Amino acid sequence: MTIQRTSEALYALVDCNNYYCSCERVFNPRLEGRPLVVLSSNDGCAVARSQEAKDLGVKMGTPWFQLQDLVRRHRLVGLSSNYTLYGDMSARVVQVLSQFSPDYEAYSIDESFLRVDQMRLLWPSFTAMGKAIRMRVRQWTGIPVCVGLAPTRTLAKLANHIAKKNPQFGGVFDLTAYPSVDLDILLSSIDVGEVWGVGRRIAEKLHGMGIHTVQDLRRTSPKMIRAHFSVVMERTVTELQGTPCMDLEDVAPAKKQIISSKSFGAMVASQEELMEALATYVSRAAEKLRAQDSVCGMLQVFIHTNQFRPNDPQYSNAVTIPLPYPTSDTRELTSAAAMALKAIFKNGFLFKKCGVMLLDISPAGTIQRSLFDAVEENARHSAAIMSVLDGLNTRFGRDTVKVAAAGTAQRWIARAENKSQCFTTRWTELPKAIAN
DNA sequence: TCTGGGGTCCTAGGACCC
DNA sequence: TCTGGGGTCCTAGGACCC
């Protein structure tokens, strides 16, 4: 089966090997050659493993306390994570990669896509270019990477997987340069669950349908897949067949939601302690929000007891509340979070985790924003508010203004422009409404 | 004793509108 | 008053990614 070339695109996926572990080794070369894991916050479980640790059978997410045997028998090292370091190193890697193509996208902290077809004339082959990328990133940052090359992003991910698993390719695999008969054989040996976009559930379902390998999935009709799954999977199969369905995003799009949450080292029982933690998360999330010059219109707070203690009483809950107007102000968000927490908190439980999620994110400084600024600045003077509302009244009609006075500003704007109605609860009465 | 912290997109179903 | 069809918006939940 040949890869259909419906366009001339060629993507390189550059993926750092065992990324967090590699970062740690750059700054502590004595860790070279030793089995190594990087642990989650609170040193709870392994979130990254060196090749030696993988060879010892350490799985992603294994709790640290279950690894103590390997610590004794194989001198397995566990390090607390240092996300600031990994973020800095990532920026350096991307900086090097940007020299190879102006068309690049940092997809995650340890992976970047480059569109490289325009670079064809600069290199004897794309494999040669891939080797140059590997060498330069290694020399300039100390991080080992693998490179996969293919006409679509899904295939480039797969090519990268092949480069990683097959040392004979020297860390670079150009899928378009590989004989198609051999490629069929190679892809017949890879489980369908390795495909980007195929997780555990979908893999199980595919197996049930007799689709076991990547090659099986490539031979399946996208329309048939659409009928059994979703458009996402349809695109995945189309990409596997060589037709690009996704483009590089040249600028990182603004976040549509921002989460900040954490598990506690020790369990927490009181609302006051939960609120202390929440205040930290809110301020962290608000910083991210402001960094992308956005405001949010809704805020969600969630709390969980320890699900790994089935004998303890379990309780988890979440509530999403609309804000009176879109904001990124830490104080305002914190007071909203306090109200939300009050609405869902229950005594008599030991809480393990809580967090905040900012939703309904939009760019700051829109025309809607200026309307609300007017209300905000005059917040102490009801006469001034009434005059603003009168202005809105003239603009959008009397019924809408009643809603604006009683509802949330964000919702009101959205609805008013649709000339439909909206009944939400008054901001000050939210806790009561939530309780009902 | 000890079990991560972020994100994205899609779908289904209900409320509501004309 | 009864009725249907088409449309939008919102939410919850499920799947995936690193």
Side-chain angles (χ1 to χ4, degrees):
Chain A
M1 192 163 162
T2 330
I3 297 293
Q4 299 290 318
R5 299 297 299 275
T6 54
S7 83
E8 294 304 308
L10 190 72
Y11 294 93
L13 174 63
V14 183
D15 191 319
C16 302
N17 303 347
N18 314 318
Y19 181 58
Y20 296 170
C21 291
S22 298
C23 288
E24 294 292 346
R25 281 178 173 167
V26 169
F27 293 92
N28 187 354
R30 277 182 300 177
L31 296 170
E32 208 68 48
R34 286 189 66 177
L36 171 67
V37 296
V38 171
L39 302 167
S40 61
S41 57
N42 301 325
D43 293 345
C45 59
V47 293
R49 305 155 292 155
S50 73
Q51 189 56 49
E52 298 79 4
K54 289 177 187 172
D55 293 343
L56 287 175
V58 178
K59 299 273 180 269
M60 188 72 168
T62 310
W64 179 231
F65 73 91
Q66 287 177 8
L67 296 171
Q68 294 314 303
D69 196 38
L70 294 176
V71 173
R72 283 187 296 270
R73 285 176 30 218
H74 297 279
R75 297 178 60 227
L76 174 71
V77 178
L79 296 176
S80 299
S81 44
N82 182 349
Y83 291 102
T84 311
L85 169 67
Y86 312 148
D88 288 351
M89 290 296 286
S90 178
R92 286 196 227 172
V93 171
V94 171
Q95 167 65 29
V96 175
L97 294 180
S98 68
Q99 300 166 356
F100 287 87
S101 169
D103 214 354
Y104 65 93
E105 177 199 358
Y107 169 73
S108 74
I109 196 164
D110 69 335
E111 284 172 77
S112 291
F113 285 101
L114 284 79
R115 188 161 167 178
V116 295
D117 39 277
Q118 270 94 338
M119 311 295 127
R120 185 167 272 123
L121 297 178
L122 300 179
W123 303 92
S125 72
F126 285 114
T127 303
M129 186 194 71
K131 303 237 181 212
I133 290 175
R134 282 197 88 202
M135 194 180 306
R136 199 179 300 174
V137 173
R138 184 70 192 241
Q139 272 175 352
W140 291 18
T141 70
I143 301 289
V145 301
C146 285
V147 182
L149 291 138
T152 69
R153 300 214 287 179
T154 304
L155 284 170
K157 288 278 279 190
L158 192 64
N160 192 284
H161 172 82
I162 293 168
K164 275 214 167 105
K165 298 288 171 184
N166 300 274
Q168 70 270 26
F169 295 126
V172 178
F173 186 72
D174 179 359
L175 200 130
T176 60
Y178 202 63
S180 82
V181 181
D182 296 339
L183 189 62
D184 288 354
I185 296 169
L186 190 55
L187 298 187
S188 299
S189 71
I190 303 176
D191 189 273
V192 74
E194 299 294 342
V195 173
W196 192 33
V198 178
R200 190 172 50 86
R201 295 297 179 92
I202 289 176
E204 277 171 20
K205 193 166 164 188
L206 285 170
H207 283 297
M209 295 165 68
I211 298 167
H212 299 284
T213 69
V214 179
Q215 181 68 3
D216 292 340
L217 188 59
R218 277 172 90 211
R219 291 179 187 280
T220 310
S221 131
K223 289 289 164 234
M224 194 277 268
I225 290 295
R226 171 79 175 96
H228 285 85
F229 300 90
S230 70
V231 296
V232 183
M233 271 299 290
E234 181 187 23
R235 284 201 279 264
T236 295
V237 174
T238 308
E239 285 236 325
L240 272 186
Q241 295 173 351
T243 306
C245 304
M246 321 172 196
D247 270 330
L248 287 191
E249 323 237 358
D250 30 21
V251 285
K255 299 260 187 296
K256 296 174 179 177
Q257 57 187 52
I258 293 173
I259 299 176
S260 180
S261 76
K262 224 168 117 192
S263 300
F264 305 126
M267 308 268 254
V268 164
S270 75
Q271 188 176 332
E272 290 68 35
E273 282 179 277
L274 278 179
M275 193 54 227
E276 265 180 47
L278 268 182
T280 311
Y281 308 153
V282 169
S283 97
R284 195 186 305 155
E287 270 173 40
K288 289 189 198 172
L289 189 64
R290 290 191 296 268
Q292 67 171 41
D293 201 20
S294 296
V295 290
C296 76
M298 290 197 284
L299 173 148
Q300 181 182 93
V301 167
F302 53 90
I303 54 179
H304 296 289
T305 49
N306 191 343
Q307 51 168 329
F308 295 105
R309 284 196 189 172
N311 296 329
D312 282 7
Q314 295 290 317
Y315 172 70
S316 62
N317 206 347
V319 62
T320 307
I321 58 176
L323 299 166
Y325 46 82
T327 183
S328 62
D329 183 276
T330 303
R331 269 196 350 256
E332 290 167 0
L333 293 171
T334 306
S335 83
M339 281 174 101
L341 178 64
K342 199 171 166 191
I344 55 174
F345 179 79
K346 272 198 181 145
N347 270 311
F349 294 95
L350 289 172
F351 292 97
K352 178 65 180 167
K353 180 175 179 176
C354 74
V356 64
M357 192 188 306
L358 306 184
L359 300 158
D360 193 13
I361 290 175
S362 53
T366 60
I367 184 150
Q368 286 94 331
R369 177 65 186 158
S370 68
L371 276 175
F372 297 119
D373 282 343
V375 176
E376 191 180 0
E377 283 161 17
N378 295 303
R380 295 196 183 157
H381 309 290
S382 54
I385 293 179
M386 287 319 294
S387 93
V388 171
L389 292 180
D390 279 347
L392 301 179
N393 184 5
T394 313
R395 191 167 155 199
F396 292 110
R398 187 162 299 280
D399 284 347
T400 322
V401 171
K402 270 199 292 201
V403 174
T408 74
Q410 175 77 3
R411 282 162 179 274
W412 169 76
I413 275 292
R415 299 284 180 154
E417 288 173 351
N418 270 343
K419 298 200 194 313
S420 61
Q421 289 181 315
C422 171
F423 298 98
T424 58
T425 177
R426 188 186 297 267
W427 167 242
T428 51
E429 288 170 6
L430 261 178
K432 212 192 300 172
I434 291 163
N436 295 335

